[in-house]
Amino acid sequence: MDASQTTDSPARDVHRDLPMASSMCWHCQSEVPGEYFCSRCVKVQPLSKELDYFTCLNLPRTLNLDDKALEETFYALSRTFHPDYFATKDESEQSISLGNTALLNAAYQTLKDPIRRVEYLIRLEAGSARTVQTSPPADLLNEILEIQEDIETLRSLSPEESSGQRQALHTKLRDDRGMLAERQARLEACLSEQCQRWDDLQADAGEDARIRAQKDEVLKDLRELLSHRTYIRNTVHDLAEIVG
Amino acid sequence: MAYSDKVIDHYNNPRNVGSFKKEEEGVGTGIVGAPECGDVMKLQIKVEQDTIVDARFKTFGCGSAIASSSLATEWLKGKTVHEAGGIKNTDIVQELNLPPVKIHCSVLAEDAIKAALNDYQKKAAHESETEKTATSAGA
């Protein structure tokens, strides 16, 4: 009963090339070369803890991803490891299924969002790009501070009094919002350009020092663009709240 | 995640909110940001005879960032410029009982202190430079 149930599990044919935590079954100690289930005792096996999200979902380490493939692999693997299929199994198997599923969910949630995908790639590729402190340009911070102070002032003005000042501030903040939204759009265009650059470099076979240096350069740019985007996005959000 | 009582106290009654005129003599201004969350912090010190006599801040960000900078301005007052340079983010973490995910807020406050001190020192050096030039021109 136990064995047949697992064999019938719909997604047992999913690609089996994910690195596993061990090459030996945790239960019966027989060899499990990359299998999700032990071929002897049919127990589910834990995925390697070092598995990166791209490998986990069988995707190349690029920033323009095939969203459909991402989803399909995720669903297929989820069907393999979902805790619901292990509800009647022993505690060890339940906990392995939970661990594998948690990893899959984290991978899927991270990679399906284009921005989180970039952030993750930067963390993953770390290298020299990670240690570079990205300081936002002083003028951007100054600009944002000024806008935030205006927002604060506008909020503190009561509707009855100083309607002239309110009107003026409102108009100014509306303009600021338009300006920042445009800037955000330009930034996002730069971001996709750099993403494409990364993918092109990834497509090159092999990785010599020259390509690595170029990759680090792209990662640095991506990091900087992301940080600028965060500042601008927050402010645009605050502005939208107050001037609509 | 719950904020500690000290964070809530600083958040509800922030100390020393406001700003000085940047150009004013003895004023050092530090403006820093946290790229991960987009928080922006401005911290200013007013120095007289090498002692920080007053401090102000304005922070647009989360409660922990506000509390960190509010606490920083309290600590800065009465310290010499040299002593102020010794304030560490870990002191802030300890005092406010910040959880690991909010440690970057204390780092931001330390960066802001450093930036303000730097700005003050640069201005001071520039002022004494102009003074010297003025004296030598007059001589």
Side-chain angles (χ1 to χ4, degrees), chain A residues 91-216:
Chain A
E91 235 172 76
S92 308
E93 277 201 277
Q94 284 183 13
S95 117
I96 290 169
S97 120
L98 205 62
N100 288 356
T101 301
L103 176 64
L104 278 174
N105 286 342
Y108 178 65
Q109 293 301 335
T110 305
L111 293 190
K112 83 170 178 182
D113 179 313
I115 296 295
R116 288 181 65 186
R117 190 185 301 161
V118 180
E119 286 169 347
Y120 179 70
L121 179 85
I122 293 170
R123 274 212 308 281
L124 201 59
E125 291 279 332
S128 57
R130 193 179 203 175
T131 49
V132 175
Q133 193 63 46
T134 51
S135 48
D139 58 340
L140 176 62
L141 284 189
N142 274 321
E143 227 172 284
I144 285 173
L145 259 175
E146 198 186 300
I147 292 173
Q148 291 287 9
E149 281 172 4
D150 286 342
I151 292 177
E152 217 177 45
T153 313
L154 184 55
R155 280 199 181 120
S156 68
L157 293 174
S158 65
E160 302 83 45
E161 51 186 352
S162 54
S163 72
Q165 198 190 348
R166 274 178 64 85
Q167 197 49 52
L169 261 179
H170 202 273
T171 311
K172 180 191 171 286
L173 288 174
R174 262 213 128 97
D175 294 347
D176 285 343
R177 197 191 119 176
M179 187 259 311
L180 275 185
E182 254 171 53
R183 202 153 155 183
Q184 188 177 358
R186 277 204 305 277
L187 228 133
E188 273 160 14
C190 287
L191 204 56
S192 31
E193 236 170 72
Q194 292 298 328
C195 288
Q196 192 53 52
R197 240 183 95 200
W198 170 266
D199 290 359
D200 292 346
L201 286 167
Q202 281 293 70
D204 278 348
E207 180 180 283
D208 54 20
R210 192 180 54 87
I211 292 193
R212 186 65 238 178
Q214 285 180 10
K215 280 186 180 174
D216 286 346

Side-chain angles (χ1 to χ4, degrees), chain A residues 142 145 148-149 227 230-231 234, chain B residues 22 31 33-35 37-38 58:
Chain A
N142 274 321
L145 259 175
Q148 291 287 9
E149 281 172 4
S227 91
T230 313
Y231 290 116
N234 284 2
Chain B
K22 269 187 189 176
I31 297 175
C37 54
K58 260 190 185 179

Side-chain angles (χ1 to χ4, degrees), chain B residues 2 27 70 103 114-115 137:
Chain B
V27 168
S70 169
I103 285 177
K114 294 238 157 72

